Each structure stands twice: as structure tokens, then as C-alpha cells.
Amino acid sequence: MDAVLEYAPLLWRGTVTTVELTLASAALALVISFVVGLARLSPYRAVRWLAIVYLEFFRGTSALVQLFFMYFVLPLWGIFLPPILAGIIACGCNLGSYGSEVVRGALQSVAKQQHEAAIALNYTTYQRYRYVLIPQAIPMMLPSFGNLLIELLKLTAVTSLITINDLTYMSQIIRAQTALTLEPFLAILVIYFLISTVLIGGMKWIERRTSKGRNTIVRQGA
Amino acid sequence: GAGTLDEIRERGYAIVAVANEPPYSDIKPDGFVTGAAPDVARAVMKKLGVPELRSQLVPYGSMIPALQARRVDMATSGLYIKPKRCESIIYSEPDLCGAEAFAVAAGNPHNLKTYEDIAANPELFMTTCAGCAEEAYALERGVKPEQIKVFTDPPSGIKMLQQGRVQVFALSGLGTQDLLKKTNDPNLELVMPVKGVPMGCAGAAFNSADDDFRDMYDKALKELKESGEFASIVAPYGFSAEATLAVKRDDFCPGN
Amino acid sequence: MFAGTRAQAVNADLRGQMQNIIEFQDVSKSFGSLQVLDDLNMHVVPGEKLALIGPSGSGKTTILRILMTLEDISAGEILLDGEPLWHEMRGGKRVRASEHHLRKMRDGVGMVFQQFNLFPHLTATENIEQPQVLTHRKSKAAAREKAAEMLSVVGLVDKRDHYPHQLSGGQQQRVAIARALAMDPKIMLFDEVTSALDPELVEEVLNVLRKLAEETDTTMLTVTHEMNFARDFADRVLFFEKGKIVEAGSPEDIFTNPKEERTRSFLRKFLTGIN
Amino acid sequence: MFAGTRAQAVNADLRGQMQNIIEFQDVSKSFGSLQVLDDLNMHVVPGEKLALIGPSGSGKTTILRILMTLEDISAGEILLDGEPLWHEMRGGKRVRASEHHLRKMRDGVGMVFQQFNLFPHLTATENIEQPQVLTHRKSKAAAREKAAEMLSVVGLVDKRDHYPHQLSGGQQQRVAIARALAMDPKIMLFDEVTSALDPELVEEVLNVLRKLAEETDTTMLTVTHEMNFARDFADRVLFFEKGKIVEAGSPEDIFTNPKEERTRSFLRKFLTGIN
Amino acid sequence: MEWSWSVAYDVMPRLAAGLIVTVQATLVGALVAYVLGLALAILKMSPYRLVAWSSYWSSEFVRRTPLLVQLYFLFYVLPDLGIFLEPFAAGVIGLGLHFSTYTSEVFRAGIENVPKGQWEAARSLNYSTIQTWRHVVLPQAIPPMIPPLANYLITMFKETPLLAAITVVELFNAANIYSNSHYKYLEPMTLVGTFFLLVSIPAAALAIRLENAFRRKA
Ligand SMILES: Nc1ncnc2c1ncn2[C@@H]1O[C@H](COP(=O)(O)OP(=O)(O)OP(=O)(O)O)[C@@H](O)[C@H]1O
Ligand SMILES: Nc1ncnc2c1ncn2[C@@H]1O[C@H](COP(=O)(O)OP(=O)(O)OP(=O)(O)O)[C@@H](O)[C@H]1O
Ligand SMILES: [Mg+2]
Ligand SMILES: [Mg+2]
């Protein structure tokens, strides 16, 4: 264990990379979730289809394959992504496809009457989503987003295979330098567990914050 | 093209692909990369007016695509000069040479001295890294693809050997030696050199379009070798400077 | 002003002389194979208070939803202030209304739903304020002032910062009424606004509506099953069945002396239930 | 046989001379800090039909659930046929009943629930047949025969192959009764077996119970809010409040001439509601 | 970069062999995930607080840490503790163990959705615990679980490339080995992606139909 402790600075840098990768991909995934989730509800068939193609592509293939494709194949076409960016894009796009289903599901579960009330008040489609539907849907999305965030954290471990110096990769370096196996793996398992537990705590905190003062379960009539 | 070195000079640092394999490369706990190959490269680049190397860890199997995709300016750290590779990339003059080695169970129960010995016994399994020279040596000498289990990193390979999943671990001599020393397992034994394969010589590798850069590098490397500084860099890592000085790139890849 | 409007409205003779604010011309509406409105003709003058009554499924809600553009029509024409609601002229051709046209037409219409449909994530004040800001581009301050005014009309000043779930059903419905009124619609639609309420809460909402009917000159259409209320509220009562008007007339005529047998049998049930 | 049983049961004088089939001795039961049964003493003779009545929360359901071993007791002792239900002797010591002991004791008890609790994945016949096979190790053929017999007792022969969701609530409840009866329990417990039913279905179930009360000598405890039914069904009525028996007596006594003021006030509400 | 059919043709047999391993790993892994998941669900619902608590947290530990690292752990660490697993075995155990933490939630939800009255009815008919599970609870709990369990099967299928890290030559690894020695990436990786889509899209469509079928029944 001492040898591993000696390499604590590497582990620390890996932890930072992993967290950065997770958060950056999460931001990307969030944007994609909303864009694709809303596109699924578009009145235009073509837009809906594009969204479905996106969804099925990223949900239907392995994240690792996507990662390798972005890292090794895209450059052959002149699309050059630095590894960390390829990692962020692959993780973000992959999780974004799952997130878009969460967004769509939550939006669809907002009562139809809320749509109608907004139309009756002459809101534009944009206003309807921006001010009425999305604010009501967000509290419903949060628990699923929390789970997806953990999936994302775990997914970032895969980026070690395209040489991103994340936690998992650092553990491989430590193994090469020290020829230890149990200790580095145990150490990063614990670190991953701690990170995800902190992330879950953070999401729970946000859930509590957003549900404060308002009750999203609409009590309508008797 | 020709401008690569100028770009690097302007930038102030070069991005170098480094493998995770002591003693070719050696990563300090603070993340600083040394080891024989990066140290040579660092000295050469200093001569070329580039004060800093930034290293990126890349497995052997991924170094060539990384060069082709220009993810790195050059690759160092023990990428052997091989004709097949020379089709895709270009090399500097050799910078590190060493014999090949096997790691086997103590007492070498299957009496493995050459790749042919492995090929002769299809029951046996060997492990080496993906896309490594050793894999090519093995296949060229009749080892069946099913006999080769590719490891993700050398310590995993040693683990497989210790656990009996494979009977032989093949890698560069010094790499294997270093690993066995760290593992410190009395049940393992080093076979070095492996007969019937040439001494492996590595060079710094470049994108095929960067021949100007490569030529400048060669010139600086030559100066380094002649000044004796080269020997003083590689010797502490266990490499023999004479062995390296005795060979030329054209011995492996004529016209590369 | 108010007295004049009422008088005009009840006086059927005058009706031809002024512009109808709502005009249904041979309107039909089907859901799949189910015909809900059947060649309906109907006229409403500005300021008129109309009560729509009739058995369940007769198409009353559908009429309001069509006026609110929540459903389109299958055939016929509807004019609001003389302008077609569901069609427009483009390049000399009569085409189905675009969203742009509908938005323009919707501006003069407000609706209160059976299920209130307040926005649960906004307080009472915000519920009234937001639509003014978003659709009428009012300043936040002006919208807030109007919201306060409307809350006092419906008697809920003290609940202004409550969220819907913190309000009783009757209070929620009054906020919904205030929200619709704050948009200054020329036409207000009320669809069984009390039927989702517990019996003791019904009166507080109906009283607000009675007061509105007295005090404003907005045209109002209300679907209701509360006959006593319809009598107080309406200038004219329309009795529907199977998507057609069976009988229309002043509350006095309809409730005390209906001409049609069908009306009489329908009202018998209700009137005995109420008194 | 039947006449004798009834006669014994109503005749309070005889009670001391025969073995009680159920005996509650100072039974208390608490849920957390809430005391639901309070030092309860109660005796039931074999074949007796008992109706348990009382306000909501008085502990009636809890008594049945304890007898069915769905809840344990906090203090006191319950004897079934003289044998402790919730305790047993092991190595000369009195210990809390083991699952083994409970299984043995449960064998003589059957229960019908308010929510029927039929097994939804089994047909009516299978619902009745399976418990006989599983707990009484009967042959499938014998169990099926008994099932047919029971279905005819409750008048549902023609529904034998229907799944619960294909049956009305009243029919489901009758199957549940048949299922419990098929196990030949010595004691049957009925907990508001009609309160989940629509009013028109209530009578069909109560009639089945009336018939059973007449025709079998099984001991029956029924919790009910149907006072007319309690009067027809019971040999003895127990009126509970707050986990205690306030008054006990023949239906005649309780329903026509209750001694306690509390009983009178409770029954006033019901009796006016029924007639 | 030009697509080369000869490369595609060359790599195809290896990919086909890899696909077989992928499918085998998925199916065996799923079996492990289902069996282990059910056991875990029952443990998590245990009346014994310590059992419930420790099974919950160990399952959370597995769920919150990456499968890749768990695979390394199973493959390289366990032998030191005397547990020696073949790559394929380590792979399917890793997959199964990891996904059992998900399937256990499906099982738990399915079991908790069986109304309490059903347990009580079984007790009132004097069923033993095993009979209650076997004849009352599971027959009702299992059908609604099938669609989510089928979805996890698809997810596991997509996770199999991780087994490459422990030397299982499944579809992805087959392509990767080829790429590393031939320096061709376009064709093998594109083909692997295509293979995945070819299997997972129809499978997903099937799962949706399954879901609808069960929803209609309910
Ligand atoms: N979206 C729809 N799709 C299909 N049928 C519909 C739809 N909306 C309404 N209907 C049908 O149209 C008929 C008229 O409905 P409408 O709601 O207008 O009746 P109503 O007079 O308001 O009745 P109620 O007094 O019950 O509210 C009913 O038979 C109804 O089932
Ligand atoms: N599992 C439980 N946990 C906590 N409290 C309980 C539980 N079961 C019953 N109680 C409480 O015990 C009291 C008695 O309940 P019980 O169901 O026996 O009343 P009851 O006489 O059957 O009433 P009702 O006529 O409403 O069915 C009630 O206050 C009830 O809330
Ligand atoms: Mg209606
Ligand atoms: Mg009860």
C-alpha cells in the first residue's frame, strides 16, 4: 500500500481528470438530452426521425466502439479530436441518448391540460415549453439524471483505453511502475465509489432544492 | 511537412507519445516522465531548440495511429524499427537497442528458448502486447494466433504468467528484466536473450510527412551520440550504448 | 354601459343590426366517425352572457374548445368579430388557418377549465402575471399590478404568494378566473368551472362569476350544470342535444316555460334536484 | 346437529361447561405507541357465529388478523381449542411460537378479506384447488372435486374457469369464501367482506354468508358494518370501542335494547341508515 | 481515407468468430445477472437489518464503480486470493455481477408490486414460505419484469467490449487485434459498429413490443 500512497499525486491527477471528464460530458449530455428529447416531440416528421436515428445509433452501439471510432477513425478523415475531447464527445453523446429519453418521458408526463392552458393564454410554442412544460418536467427528470450521472462516471473509465489519463489509466501506470495489482485497483474502486456517492448526494441536494416551495403533484379539483 | 519543427519551436514544447514500459519510460509519482527513451528525446530536442517535452502515454498498439492522426509530434520509448511499421511511419536512427527476453516459470519447465520452441508446442500460450514487435516475431516463426493472449499492460502479462494462464511472457529484454525485478517472484525466471530474433532496435518515430523534421532530429542525435552524452543517458537504465552505435536504421528499413 | 349591453342582448330584435362577436355558420365537428357538432348555427352579440346547457356528450365543451382553438372544425365557418377563425385568405385563396393567424385570433379569447389548470410551479400572482408578460409583452411591474387587481376582484389578495397546491379547489379556480380576466379578453369561456369542486366550494366560485356578469361587458359563454346559476347569470340560454341547439331563449322562457318536450324533460331532473 | 349447535351457542349458561374454541386472556396489542387492544378477554364456543361491530379503529380487524397470525400480540394469551396460539412450550419453557407451531395452529383457521385477495394468475377453480393440494397434500383430483362442490355452494359453477379479473367483485368475493371453506377450517374469519363491493353486489355475498351460518357448524367471526346482516347472521354480537368490549349480547338485545349509552349512539346512526 | 473492401473481407471471419463470443458472453452474463439479481433482491428485502443493510451497500458499491475496473479486479486480483477464473468466466461473472445490481432493482420492484394482501392470503391458507414464493408471489411478479430484464440484456450486449481488457476475444477485441497488427482502423471499427446496430436495434424493437404486449395485458 505504501507504494500506492507514494503514487498518490498520480491518483489525485487521475481523480481530477475523471471528475472533469464526467462533469464536461454531463454538460454536453444535458444539452443533447434536451435538444434530442425535444426534437422527439417535434411536429415535423423529419426532425423526429433525425432524433430517432441519433438515439438508436448511440444507444445501439457500444460506448467503447464509439470511443475508438472517434479516436482512431475520425482523424483518418481529417477530423482531429484531442483525446480528452474525443472522450467528452463520446461519453456525452452516449449518455445524451439516454438522457433524451428521460427528457421526453418527463415532458410527456406533464398533463395535457397544461398544454391547453398555455394555448388558451396564447403562449407561443417556445414559451409553452420554456415557461410551462419544462419547469414542471425538470423535477421529474432529476432522479433519472442522478442515475445517469453515475453511469457517466463509470463510462469515463473506458476512456482509459484511448489513453486519457483518468483514474483507471493512472492505476495502470502505477501497476507498471510498481508491479502491484491489488492495491491500485482497490484504491481506485474506493475512489470511484466516493466520487459517485458525492455525486449522488449532490443530485439529491438539487432535487430537494428544486422541490422546495412547490409541489409538482398537481392537485386538481376534488 | 517541413514546418512541423518550426511549429514545435514556436509552441515551445513537443508532444511525445510514451509507452508505459520501464525502463524505456519511467513515470515518477509526480507524473514526470523520464526513462531512457524520453531522456534521449529530451536531450535531442533541446539541441533543436525545443526546451520542453510533454509526454502522452500511448499503448504500443496505438502509437502508429496516434502519429498518423498527428495526435503527437513524435513517438519515442522503444517502438522497434520494423519493416511493416516503416510502411506507415518514419524513424530516426536507432536510439535504444536491446535483446529480446522471455519470462517463464522458474526452471523453464518447457525449455523455451526461442519462438520456434513455442510454435512447436501448440498447447502453450504466450502473452505480449497488442501490436508489438514480439507478436510479429511469434507469428512469423509459426506461433498460432490462438496461442497469443494480448495483455493490456506488461504487469497484467506477468500476472497471467504467475497465474499460469500463459507459459511465457515475451517483451523487450530490459523491460522484462525490470518487471521481474519489481515483481520479485522467485517462481519466475528470465530467458535473455531470445535466440533467433534480431536484437530489437527502437528509434524515435514520426509521421511519414515529417521527413525534414526527422532529418534534423537525426543530425542532433548524431551529435549527441558522438559527444558521449548519449551513453551517459542510456547506461543508467541498463542499455548498452555500443550496441546502439553499431547499427543503422538502414539495417532494418532500408530507405525509410 | 352595462345596462345597455344587457338590454341589447336580451332584445332579439336588435340582434340583426349589430356585428355579431361570434358567429357559427353550419359548423360540423367529428371525432373519427362520431359526429359531435351537426351543422350548428349560432350567434352571439358583444357583451352577451350565454349559458350552454344540455345532457352529457351533447357537444358543449367541444364548442368552447373550438373557440379556444384547442380543436379545429370539420366543416363550416366560425367568425369572431367578422373574421374567420379557422381559415384565412392567403394569395387570394382560402386556406386552413396558420398558427400565426390562430395566435392573433386567440388574443381576444380566454378560457377557464373544469380542472383549473393553474401552473403548479408558479404562485398565484405569478400565474396571473406571466401570461401578460409573455403574450402581451407587458412590463413585469404593470403585470404585477394587474395581477394584484385581479386577485382582489376574486377576493384572494391574501393568497397571492401561495402555490396552487396550497390553495383549496375553489381558490384555485378563482385564481384561474383571475388569470384569464387579466388578459382582457373580449370573449370569456367557462367550462363547468365548478364541477371539479367539493359542494361547499361551488358557491364561492359561482358568486365570483355572478359578480363578473354584472360588472363587466365581456362576452361570456358558460357551460354549466348548475341551473340556478345559469338563470342568474345568463342573458340567453342555449339547450343542446347531439350537437344541435334544441331550444334557445331567455332564462325565464327556458326555465319556466320551455317549448320543447326534450328541454322540459331534461330540466325536470335538474330543477327538482336544485330546489 | 346444526340446531343443537346454535342452541348451545346462544345459551350463555351452558358456556362454562364446554371447551371454548377461542379464548382471549388479557390480550393487549400495540402498534408502536398506539394501543389497539387493551386487556381484552373474550370467549367463543364451537359453532358460535359472532358479529364484531364498532367504530372505525376500534380493533376489530386486528382481532381477526391476530387469530390468523398475521399480527402477533403484545401481551396476554390466546387459546385455540385450549392450546396457546402465540406461545409454545419448549424444553419446559414458554417461548414465542415458532413458525412451525404457527403453521400447525393456522390449519384450523380460515379468513376472507375485505379485498378478496384471490390469486390473479389462477382461475376460480385453481384458486380453490391449489391450497388444498399445497397445504393439505390432497390429490389434485380430490381437490378439484372439492372445488367444484364449493363453487356450487357459492353459486358459481358456471364461472369455474374464469380468472379473477373476469369476475365481478361479488363473484370474486364468493370465490374467496369458497376457497377458505374448502380448507375445512374450524374457525372462519370474515373481515368486512362486502365493504369493497358496489352496493348492488353486497346482497349476493351476504346471502351466501347467511346460508353458511345456517348450514354449517363452523365457528364464524365476522366484522361488519351491515347491521341488518349482523342481526340475521350472529348468535352473539360484540360491540367494541378502543380495543375493549363495551357490550356483548344476543342480536335482539344489542339491536333492540342496548344497555350502554355508547352502543345506543353508535347504532342509532346505522339503524336509521338501513331501514 | 478510402474504404477498402479487401480489408473488410479479410477481417470478416475474425469478426464473425468474435460475434459468437460476444453473444455467448451476453447470454451467460445475463443468466448470472438474473440469478444473482434475484438473490440480491431477496437479501435486500431481508427482515434482518444487518443482512438488508450490508447487501444494499455492497450492491451499491458494485453499481457505483466501473465495470472495467471490476473486470481487472476479477481477472488479475482474485487469482492472488486463490480464485482462478478463465477470461471468459471472469468476464461473464463481472458482467453478471455488475448488472445484478440493476436487475435486483427490477426484481425488488416486481416483488414489491405484488400486493400485501396476496402474502396474507397465502398465509391464511397456511402456505409455507417456499410455497408462497413459488406459487403466489413469483408467478405474479415475474411477467411485468420481463421487459426491463430484456432491456438489460441489450445493455449487457453493448458492454461486452469491455471484456477485451481481460483478453476475451469478443467482437470488439477481434477487430482491435486486427487493427493493431495491420494498422487498419476504419473498416474493422465500422464493421463492429454495424454489427452492434444490426443486433441491438432489432432487439430494442422487440423489447418495445414485449413491453407493449405486457402493458396491454395489465
Ligand atoms: N378528443 C376527442 N376524441 C374523441 N371523441 C371526443 C373527443 N372529445 C370529445 N369527444 C366526444 O365528443 C362528444 C361531445 O363531447 P363534449 O365534451 O363536447 O360534450 P359535453 O356536452 O361537454 O358533455 P359533458 O357535459 O359530459 O361535459 C362526446 O361523446 C365525447 O366523448
Ligand atoms: N400495521 C399497523 N401499523 C400501525 N397501526 C395499525 C396497523 N394496523 C392497524 N393499525 C391501527 O390500529 C387501530 C385499529 O385498527 P383496526 O384495523 O383493527 O380497526 P377496525 O376496528 O378494523 O377499524 P375499521 O372499521 O376502520 O376497519 C387503527 O387505529 C389502525 O390505524
Ligand atoms: Mg363538457
Ligand atoms: Mg377493519
Side-chain angles (χ1 to χ4, degrees), chain D residues 103-110 184-188, chain E residues 126:
Chain D
R103 275 205 88 190
K104 194 187 73 190
M105 298 303 286
R106 263 201 299 266
D107 196 39
V109 188
D184 289 323
K186 283 188 289 185
I187 302 169
M188 279 281 283
Chain E
N126 218 357

PDB file of all heavy atoms in Angstrom, chain D residues 103-110 184-188, chain E residues 126:
ATOM      1  N   ARG D 103     -47.826 -22.693  11.926  1.00  0.00           N
ATOM      2  CA  ARG D 103     -48.400 -23.405  10.780  1.00  0.00           C
ATOM      3  C   ARG D 103     -49.399 -24.434  11.261  1.00  0.00           C
ATOM      4  O   ARG D 103     -50.451 -24.611  10.669  1.00  0.00           O
ATOM      5  CB  ARG D 103     -47.304 -24.124   9.971  1.00  0.00           C
ATOM      6  CG  ARG D 103     -46.633 -23.250   8.949  1.00  0.00           C
ATOM      7  CD  ARG D 103     -46.056 -24.085   7.811  1.00  0.00           C
ATOM      8  NE  ARG D 103     -47.042 -24.313   6.764  1.00  0.00           N
ATOM      9  CZ  ARG D 103     -46.886 -25.168   5.751  1.00  0.00           C
ATOM     10  NH1 ARG D 103     -45.797 -25.884   5.658  1.00  0.00           N
ATOM     11  NH2 ARG D 103     -47.831 -25.321   4.847  1.00  0.00           N
ATOM     12  N   LYS D 104     -49.048 -25.098  12.337  1.00  0.00           N
ATOM     13  CA  LYS D 104     -49.956 -26.117  12.856  1.00  0.00           C
ATOM     14  C   LYS D 104     -51.266 -25.465  13.299  1.00  0.00           C
ATOM     15  O   LYS D 104     -52.360 -25.913  12.964  1.00  0.00           O
ATOM     16  CB  LYS D 104     -49.288 -26.837  14.042  1.00  0.00           C
ATOM     17  CG  LYS D 104     -49.974 -28.112  14.447  1.00  0.00           C
ATOM     18  CD  LYS D 104     -49.373 -28.684  15.728  1.00  0.00           C
ATOM     19  CE  LYS D 104     -49.792 -27.858  16.938  1.00  0.00           C
ATOM     20  NZ  LYS D 104     -49.079 -28.194  18.184  1.00  0.00           N
ATOM     21  N   MET D 105     -51.155 -24.355  14.039  1.00  0.00           N
ATOM     22  CA  MET D 105     -52.332 -23.691  14.579  1.00  0.00           C
ATOM     23  C   MET D 105     -53.199 -23.091  13.466  1.00  0.00           C
ATOM     24  O   MET D 105     -54.421 -23.088  13.542  1.00  0.00           O
ATOM     25  CB  MET D 105     -51.924 -22.569  15.547  1.00  0.00           C
ATOM     26  CG  MET D 105     -51.155 -23.035  16.772  1.00  0.00           C
ATOM     27  SD  MET D 105     -52.086 -24.268  17.724  1.00  0.00           S
ATOM     28  CE  MET D 105     -53.329 -23.207  18.487  1.00  0.00           C
ATOM     29  N   ARG D 106     -52.528 -22.562  12.441  1.00  0.00           N
ATOM     30  CA  ARG D 106     -53.261 -21.907  11.350  1.00  0.00           C
ATOM     31  C   ARG D 106     -54.148 -22.887  10.600  1.00  0.00           C
ATOM     32  O   ARG D 106     -55.076 -22.475   9.923  1.00  0.00           O
ATOM     33  CB  ARG D 106     -52.243 -21.342  10.334  1.00  0.00           C
ATOM     34  CG  ARG D 106     -51.925 -19.887  10.509  1.00  0.00           C
ATOM     35  CD  ARG D 106     -51.361 -19.289   9.239  1.00  0.00           C
ATOM     36  NE  ARG D 106     -50.116 -19.893   8.793  1.00  0.00           N
ATOM     37  CZ  ARG D 106     -48.893 -19.431   9.099  1.00  0.00           C
ATOM     38  NH1 ARG D 106     -48.762 -18.350   9.848  1.00  0.00           N
ATOM     39  NH2 ARG D 106     -47.833 -20.019   8.656  1.00  0.00           N
ATOM     40  N   ASP D 107     -53.820 -24.157  10.749  1.00  0.00           N
ATOM     41  CA  ASP D 107     -54.516 -25.139   9.943  1.00  0.00           C
ATOM     42  C   ASP D 107     -56.021 -25.122  10.201  1.00  0.00           C
ATOM     43  O   ASP D 107     -56.808 -25.402   9.310  1.00  0.00           O
ATOM     44  CB  ASP D 107     -53.953 -26.538  10.228  1.00  0.00           C
ATOM     45  CG  ASP D 107     -54.366 -27.518   9.144  1.00  0.00           C
ATOM     46  OD1 ASP D 107     -54.370 -27.089   7.969  1.00  0.00           O
ATOM     47  OD2 ASP D 107     -54.720 -28.658   9.475  1.00  0.00           O
ATOM     48  N   GLY D 108     -56.419 -24.800  11.399  1.00  0.00           N
ATOM     49  CA  GLY D 108     -57.843 -24.811  11.708  1.00  0.00           C
ATOM     50  C   GLY D 108     -58.551 -23.494  11.444  1.00  0.00           C
ATOM     51  O   GLY D 108     -59.731 -23.355  11.735  1.00  0.00           O
ATOM     52  N   VAL D 109     -57.829 -22.503  10.912  1.00  0.00           N
ATOM     53  CA  VAL D 109     -58.400 -21.166  10.774  1.00  0.00           C
ATOM     54  C   VAL D 109     -58.412 -20.750   9.316  1.00  0.00           C
ATOM     55  O   VAL D 109     -57.439 -20.982   8.591  1.00  0.00           O
ATOM     56  CB  VAL D 109     -57.585 -20.136  11.594  1.00  0.00           C
ATOM     57  CG1 VAL D 109     -58.289 -18.777  11.605  1.00  0.00           C
ATOM     58  CG2 VAL D 109     -57.355 -20.637  13.008  1.00  0.00           C
ATOM     59  N   GLY D 110     -59.506 -20.146   8.878  1.00  0.00           N
ATOM     60  CA  GLY D 110     -59.559 -19.601   7.520  1.00  0.00           C
ATOM     61  C   GLY D 110     -60.027 -18.155   7.577  1.00  0.00           C
ATOM     62  O   GLY D 110     -60.701 -17.756   8.532  1.00  0.00           O
ATOM     63  N   ASP D 184     -61.775 -26.596   5.032  1.00  0.00           N
ATOM     64  CA  ASP D 184     -62.449 -27.147   6.209  1.00  0.00           C
ATOM     65  C   ASP D 184     -61.931 -26.585   7.527  1.00  0.00           C
ATOM     66  O   ASP D 184     -61.560 -27.344   8.436  1.00  0.00           O
ATOM     67  CB  ASP D 184     -62.310 -28.677   6.248  1.00  0.00           C
ATOM     68  CG  ASP D 184     -63.141 -29.346   5.164  1.00  0.00           C
ATOM     69  OD1 ASP D 184     -64.261 -28.838   4.887  1.00  0.00           O
ATOM     70  OD2 ASP D 184     -62.665 -30.333   4.578  1.00  0.00           O
ATOM     71  N   PRO D 185     -61.877 -25.276   7.652  1.00  0.00           N
ATOM     72  CA  PRO D 185     -61.358 -24.719   8.906  1.00  0.00           C
ATOM     73  C   PRO D 185     -62.405 -24.874  10.008  1.00  0.00           C
ATOM     74  O   PRO D 185     -63.601 -24.950   9.735  1.00  0.00           O
ATOM     75  CB  PRO D 185     -61.152 -23.246   8.559  1.00  0.00           C
ATOM     76  CG  PRO D 185     -62.169 -22.961   7.515  1.00  0.00           C
ATOM     77  CD  PRO D 185     -62.345 -24.234   6.723  1.00  0.00           C
ATOM     78  N   LYS D 186     -61.925 -24.945  11.232  1.00  0.00           N
ATOM     79  CA  LYS D 186     -62.864 -24.987  12.350  1.00  0.00           C
ATOM     80  C   LYS D 186     -63.350 -23.586  12.681  1.00  0.00           C
ATOM     81  O   LYS D 186     -64.422 -23.401  13.235  1.00  0.00           O
ATOM     82  CB  LYS D 186     -62.185 -25.626  13.567  1.00  0.00           C
ATOM     83  CG  LYS D 186     -62.119 -27.149  13.405  1.00  0.00           C
ATOM     84  CD  LYS D 186     -61.633 -27.816  14.660  1.00  0.00           C
ATOM     85  CE  LYS D 186     -60.154 -27.504  14.835  1.00  0.00           C
ATOM     86  NZ  LYS D 186     -59.568 -28.217  15.984  1.00  0.00           N
ATOM     87  N   ILE D 187     -62.494 -22.613  12.336  1.00  0.00           N
ATOM     88  CA  ILE D 187     -62.857 -21.219  12.604  1.00  0.00           C
ATOM     89  C   ILE D 187     -62.748 -20.432  11.295  1.00  0.00           C
ATOM     90  O   ILE D 187     -61.720 -20.514  10.608  1.00  0.00           O
ATOM     91  CB  ILE D 187     -61.891 -20.589  13.636  1.00  0.00           C
ATOM     92  CG1 ILE D 187     -61.910 -21.401  14.931  1.00  0.00           C
ATOM     93  CG2 ILE D 187     -62.239 -19.125  13.884  1.00  0.00           C
ATOM     94  CD1 ILE D 187     -60.796 -21.018  15.895  1.00  0.00           C
ATOM     95  N   MET D 188     -63.808 -19.674  10.979  1.00  0.00           N
ATOM     96  CA  MET D 188     -63.739 -18.832   9.778  1.00  0.00           C
ATOM     97  C   MET D 188     -63.826 -17.373  10.216  1.00  0.00           C
ATOM     98  O   MET D 188     -64.662 -17.013  11.045  1.00  0.00           O
ATOM     99  CB  MET D 188     -64.927 -19.128   8.852  1.00  0.00           C
ATOM    100  CG  MET D 188     -64.752 -20.353   7.995  1.00  0.00           C
ATOM    101  SD  MET D 188     -63.689 -20.015   6.573  1.00  0.00           S
ATOM    102  CE  MET D 188     -64.831 -19.134   5.523  1.00  0.00           C
TER     103      MET D 188
ATOM    104  N   ASN E 126     -52.291 -21.044   4.876  1.00  0.00           N
ATOM    105  CA  ASN E 126     -51.254 -21.862   5.505  1.00  0.00           C
ATOM    106  C   ASN E 126     -50.204 -22.356   4.522  1.00  0.00           C
ATOM    107  O   ASN E 126     -49.698 -23.466   4.653  1.00  0.00           O
ATOM    108  CB  ASN E 126     -51.891 -23.038   6.243  1.00  0.00           C
ATOM    109  CG  ASN E 126     -51.151 -23.329   7.540  1.00  0.00           C
ATOM    110  OD1 ASN E 126     -50.134 -22.670   7.831  1.00  0.00           O
ATOM    111  ND2 ASN E 126     -51.643 -24.276   8.302  1.00  0.00           N
TER     112      ASN E 126
END
